[in-house]
Amino acid sequence: MKSSPATLPAILLVSLLASASAQTHIGSVTLTRPATPAPMHQPRPMAPAPAPAAHRAAPANADNGRDTMNTMAVPAGAQEIRGRIQAAGGAVNLPAGSTVNVLVSDLTRPAQLVKISFRTSRLSTPYQLVFNSGRLNRAHTYAVQANVTDASGKVLYSSDSSAVLPATRRAVVDITVR
């Protein structure tokens, strides 16, 4: 079949009109194009990281469950300490099987009051301690310390000083390890 030069523009016009249609038929299925393109997702800007501080009070709204590091309400009579364990030199990737140990110790009469351990692959990492504040003796001084061990138990990093445990019900204590 030969097409004349006059019929070629007509064929192009028909094919362009067919492709500009809002619907396409494939067998018994009809695909319909949206009238307007869907809006593209705009990523939310990241909030700047807070400046590190030895101690700071937990936000007043921390009990409402919307705080990003606090997923549970603190029971009556309990104390919450949370913060970040961070390396002195900045972000650090840890060997597989590394464990962070966070301790609350009695400095007046050397004893360990609370200890949590969890695995992590990098520093800085968040932590949270919730414990019965009735275990504290108001005449004693308590401190928060941390260390990081590898899978065999060898200490990789340790806090070289103790952060004094704040007397508030909720507090943020960031700990630097070296």
PDB file of all heavy atoms in Angstrom, residues 49-56 84 86 172-176:
ATOM      1  N   ALA A  49      20.282  20.464  64.537  1.00  0.00           N
ATOM      2  CA  ALA A  49      20.587  19.689  65.741  1.00  0.00           C
ATOM      3  C   ALA A  49      20.797  20.640  66.910  1.00  0.00           C
ATOM      4  O   ALA A  49      21.394  21.699  66.753  1.00  0.00           O
ATOM      5  CB  ALA A  49      21.837  18.846  65.523  1.00  0.00           C
ATOM      6  N   PRO A  50      20.290  20.240  68.097  1.00  0.00           N
ATOM      7  CA  PRO A  50      20.491  21.120  69.245  1.00  0.00           C
ATOM      8  C   PRO A  50      21.954  21.140  69.656  1.00  0.00           C
ATOM      9  O   PRO A  50      22.683  20.178  69.458  1.00  0.00           O
ATOM     10  CB  PRO A  50      19.631  20.471  70.339  1.00  0.00           C
ATOM     11  CG  PRO A  50      19.479  19.049  69.930  1.00  0.00           C
ATOM     12  CD  PRO A  50      19.551  19.048  68.427  1.00  0.00           C
ATOM     13  N   ALA A  51      22.368  22.261  70.209  1.00  0.00           N
ATOM     14  CA  ALA A  51      23.745  22.384  70.686  1.00  0.00           C
ATOM     15  C   ALA A  51      23.944  21.442  71.857  1.00  0.00           C
ATOM     16  O   ALA A  51      23.066  21.317  72.711  1.00  0.00           O
ATOM     17  CB  ALA A  51      24.019  23.822  71.111  1.00  0.00           C
ATOM     18  N   PRO A  52      25.083  20.718  71.902  1.00  0.00           N
ATOM     19  CA  PRO A  52      25.293  19.798  73.010  1.00  0.00           C
ATOM     20  C   PRO A  52      25.376  20.551  74.329  1.00  0.00           C
ATOM     21  O   PRO A  52      25.927  21.639  74.403  1.00  0.00           O
ATOM     22  CB  PRO A  52      26.612  19.106  72.676  1.00  0.00           C
ATOM     23  CG  PRO A  52      27.233  19.872  71.582  1.00  0.00           C
ATOM     24  CD  PRO A  52      26.178  20.731  70.963  1.00  0.00           C
ATOM     25  N   ALA A  53      24.801  19.946  75.344  1.00  0.00           N
ATOM     26  CA  ALA A  53      24.827  20.530  76.673  1.00  0.00           C
ATOM     27  C   ALA A  53      25.026  19.416  77.676  1.00  0.00           C
ATOM     28  O   ALA A  53      24.564  18.306  77.465  1.00  0.00           O
ATOM     29  CB  ALA A  53      23.519  21.263  76.959  1.00  0.00           C
ATOM     30  N   ALA A  54      25.722  19.709  78.759  1.00  0.00           N
ATOM     31  CA  ALA A  54      25.957  18.698  79.779  1.00  0.00           C
ATOM     32  C   ALA A  54      24.628  18.275  80.396  1.00  0.00           C
ATOM     33  O   ALA A  54      24.355  17.103  80.544  1.00  0.00           O
ATOM     34  CB  ALA A  54      26.897  19.227  80.833  1.00  0.00           C
ATOM     35  N   HIS A  55      23.783  19.235  80.759  1.00  0.00           N
ATOM     36  CA  HIS A  55      22.473  18.962  81.340  1.00  0.00           C
ATOM     37  C   HIS A  55      21.498  19.966  80.773  1.00  0.00           C
ATOM     38  O   HIS A  55      21.824  21.115  80.596  1.00  0.00           O
ATOM     39  CB  HIS A  55      22.478  19.159  82.856  1.00  0.00           C
ATOM     40  CG  HIS A  55      23.442  18.296  83.584  1.00  0.00           C
ATOM     41  ND1 HIS A  55      23.221  16.968  83.808  1.00  0.00           N
ATOM     42  CD2 HIS A  55      24.633  18.566  84.144  1.00  0.00           C
ATOM     43  CE1 HIS A  55      24.234  16.469  84.488  1.00  0.00           C
ATOM     44  NE2 HIS A  55      25.109  17.421  84.690  1.00  0.00           N
ATOM     45  N   ARG A  56      20.315  19.517  80.540  1.00  0.00           N
ATOM     46  CA  ARG A  56      19.250  20.439  80.218  1.00  0.00           C
ATOM     47  C   ARG A  56      17.940  19.793  80.624  1.00  0.00           C
ATOM     48  O   ARG A  56      17.814  18.579  80.628  1.00  0.00           O
ATOM     49  CB  ARG A  56      19.255  20.840  78.747  1.00  0.00           C
ATOM     50  CG  ARG A  56      19.112  19.715  77.755  1.00  0.00           C
ATOM     51  CD  ARG A  56      19.342  20.261  76.340  1.00  0.00           C
ATOM     52  NE  ARG A  56      19.061  19.260  75.355  1.00  0.00           N
ATOM     53  CZ  ARG A  56      19.928  18.389  74.899  1.00  0.00           C
ATOM     54  NH1 ARG A  56      21.155  18.389  75.343  1.00  0.00           N
ATOM     55  NH2 ARG A  56      19.580  17.503  73.990  1.00  0.00           N
ATOM     56  N   ARG A  84      22.125  11.648  74.610  1.00  0.00           N
ATOM     57  CA  ARG A  84      22.886  10.997  73.548  1.00  0.00           C
ATOM     58  C   ARG A  84      24.252  10.610  74.081  1.00  0.00           C
ATOM     59  O   ARG A  84      24.858  11.353  74.847  1.00  0.00           O
ATOM     60  CB  ARG A  84      23.041  11.922  72.350  1.00  0.00           C
ATOM     61  CG  ARG A  84      21.702  12.265  71.697  1.00  0.00           C
ATOM     62  CD  ARG A  84      21.872  12.903  70.360  1.00  0.00           C
ATOM     63  NE  ARG A  84      22.215  11.966  69.316  1.00  0.00           N
ATOM     64  CZ  ARG A  84      21.343  11.138  68.724  1.00  0.00           C
ATOM     65  NH1 ARG A  84      20.094  11.119  69.087  1.00  0.00           N
ATOM     66  NH2 ARG A  84      21.738  10.340  67.759  1.00  0.00           N
ATOM     67  N   GLN A  86      27.835  10.264  72.731  1.00  0.00           N
ATOM     68  CA  GLN A  86      28.542  10.754  71.544  1.00  0.00           C
ATOM     69  C   GLN A  86      30.043  10.641  71.731  1.00  0.00           C
ATOM     70  O   GLN A  86      30.547  10.760  72.832  1.00  0.00           O
ATOM     71  CB  GLN A  86      28.125  12.187  71.241  1.00  0.00           C
ATOM     72  CG  GLN A  86      28.190  13.113  72.422  1.00  0.00           C
ATOM     73  CD  GLN A  86      27.273  14.313  72.269  1.00  0.00           C
ATOM     74  OE1 GLN A  86      26.567  14.443  71.291  1.00  0.00           O
ATOM     75  NE2 GLN A  86      27.285  15.186  73.244  1.00  0.00           N
ATOM     76  N   VAL A 172      17.765  15.768  80.526  1.00  0.00           N
ATOM     77  CA  VAL A 172      18.554  15.322  79.389  1.00  0.00           C
ATOM     78  C   VAL A 172      20.018  15.462  79.772  1.00  0.00           C
ATOM     79  O   VAL A 172      20.468  16.538  80.174  1.00  0.00           O
ATOM     80  CB  VAL A 172      18.243  16.169  78.128  1.00  0.00           C
ATOM     81  CG1 VAL A 172      19.140  15.745  76.981  1.00  0.00           C
ATOM     82  CG2 VAL A 172      16.782  16.042  77.759  1.00  0.00           C
ATOM     83  N   VAL A 173      20.748  14.340  79.690  1.00  0.00           N
ATOM     84  CA  VAL A 173      22.175  14.326  80.017  1.00  0.00           C
ATOM     85  C   VAL A 173      22.903  13.709  78.826  1.00  0.00           C
ATOM     86  O   VAL A 173      22.785  12.508  78.572  1.00  0.00           O
ATOM     87  CB  VAL A 173      22.466  13.513  81.304  1.00  0.00           C
ATOM     88  CG1 VAL A 173      23.947  13.507  81.596  1.00  0.00           C
ATOM     89  CG2 VAL A 173      21.673  14.066  82.475  1.00  0.00           C
ATOM     90  N   ASP A 174      23.632  14.520  78.085  1.00  0.00           N
ATOM     91  CA  ASP A 174      24.447  14.026  76.984  1.00  0.00           C
ATOM     92  C   ASP A 174      25.790  13.601  77.544  1.00  0.00           C
ATOM     93  O   ASP A 174      26.368  14.313  78.364  1.00  0.00           O
ATOM     94  CB  ASP A 174      24.612  15.102  75.906  1.00  0.00           C
ATOM     95  CG  ASP A 174      23.306  15.434  75.215  1.00  0.00           C
ATOM     96  OD1 ASP A 174      22.417  14.567  75.142  1.00  0.00           O
ATOM     97  OD2 ASP A 174      23.183  16.574  74.740  1.00  0.00           O
ATOM     98  N   ILE A 175      26.291  12.444  77.096  1.00  0.00           N
ATOM     99  CA  ILE A 175      27.529  11.891  77.616  1.00  0.00           C
ATOM    100  C   ILE A 175      28.535  11.749  76.484  1.00  0.00           C
ATOM    101  O   ILE A 175      28.221  11.151  75.450  1.00  0.00           O
ATOM    102  CB  ILE A 175      27.302  10.524  78.280  1.00  0.00           C
ATOM    103  CG1 ILE A 175      26.265  10.661  79.408  1.00  0.00           C
ATOM    104  CG2 ILE A 175      28.604   9.943  78.808  1.00  0.00           C
ATOM    105  CD1 ILE A 175      25.785   9.349  79.966  1.00  0.00           C
ATOM    106  N   THR A 176      29.731  12.300  76.673  1.00  0.00           N
ATOM    107  CA  THR A 176      30.790  12.187  75.683  1.00  0.00           C
ATOM    108  C   THR A 176      31.742  11.087  76.116  1.00  0.00           C
ATOM    109  O   THR A 176      32.182  11.060  77.256  1.00  0.00           O
ATOM    110  CB  THR A 176      31.540  13.523  75.547  1.00  0.00           C
ATOM    111  OG1 THR A 176      30.605  14.532  75.172  1.00  0.00           O
ATOM    112  CG2 THR A 176      32.649  13.428  74.495  1.00  0.00           C
TER     113      THR A 176
END
